[in-house]
Amino acid sequence: MGHLADEEQQLDNPLALEHQVCFSLAVASRMVIGLYRPVLSPLGLTHPQYLVMLALWQFEPLSVSELAEMLELEPATVSPLLKRLEAADLLVRERTPDNERRLTVSLTGKGRELRARAEAVPARMMERLGLDVQELQDLNTTLQQVISKAVQAHGDTDERS
């Protein structure tokens, strides 16, 4: 009965804030990233820097453009993150000998060593969120589906413009 009442309310007011997926995603994003802050702080990383390091720990070396594409960011957004991580001696950016325009990003020894400390982050976040592995996997699957549909919708929109 309560579920039917919710559906009727949503039909009565399709613009109700609490029924907007964009609102829920924005709040969830801010709240979860906020929970990461005290977990990442001892590592000397911000959340965006952590994402860069995750990509490098998994796939280094990467070009700046590959890294930007992987993180769904513009290269101009990634560059300041890389500069800060390079200043912290966690990575190096080097020109590729065969293509002077291509910058390759690689971890330093210190950057590789940080990975061992970062391995505790996922468990800490599960604890902070109060979610188990299966719940997080289910949530991630759903979010990946939303991302895929949004990418598809952006492509459809771009083609019509």
Side-chain angles (χ1 to χ4, degrees):
M1 176 147 184
H3 182 65
L4 186 58
D6 287 346
E7 286 180 16
E8 288 174 9
Q9 182 183 3
Q10 190 167 359
L11 292 174
D12 288 343
N13 186 3
L15 297 179
L17 183 61
E18 66 273 12
H19 297 300
Q20 306 307 307
V21 173
C22 60
F23 175 69
S24 297
L25 285 171
V27 172
S29 178
R30 280 195 314 271
M31 298 294 283
V32 170
I33 289 170
L35 289 174
Y36 269 92
R37 200 168 290 120
V39 175
L40 296 176
S41 182
L43 302 177
L45 297 173
T46 64
H47 187 263
Q49 291 170 343
Y50 176 63
L51 298 178
V52 168
M53 295 302 290
L54 287 171
L56 290 170
W57 287 324
Q58 187 173 1
F59 298 109
E60 80 148 325
L62 290 168
S63 71
V64 173
S65 58
E66 289 168 333
L67 188 56
E69 184 178 327
M70 191 174 293
L71 297 175
E72 299 283 340
L73 296 170
E74 293 296 321
T77 303
V78 173
S79 290
L81 294 170
L82 297 176
K83 286 179 184 175
R84 282 188 231 101
L85 291 167
E86 189 171 37
D89 192 33
L90 296 175
L91 59 83
V92 291
R93 295 174 300 153
E94 299 172 311
R95 298 269 173 212
T96 307
D98 61 329
N99 182 350
E100 280 295 312
R101 292 182 1 191
R102 183 180 161 121
L103 265 179
T104 300
V105 182
S106 302
L107 293 166
T108 62
K110 183 178 174 184
R112 284 185 192 91
E113 289 170 10
L114 186 61
R115 185 183 193 283
R117 290 178 50 209
E119 287 179 356
V121 171
R124 290 278 321 276
M125 290 308 301
M126 280 193 328
E127 180 183 303
R128 296 199 72 175
L129 289 167
L131 297 172
D132 65 29
V133 172
Q134 188 60 55
E135 289 170 314
L136 285 174
Q137 287 175 340
D138 292 347
L139 175 59
N140 195 38
T141 298
T142 300
L143 290 172
Q144 291 297 325
Q145 290 170 347
V146 170
I147 292 167
S148 178
K149 297 281 186 184
V151 166
Q152 183 179 7
H154 276 284
D156 292 346
T157 302
D158 291 345
E159 289 173 10
R160 290 187 206 131
S161 299

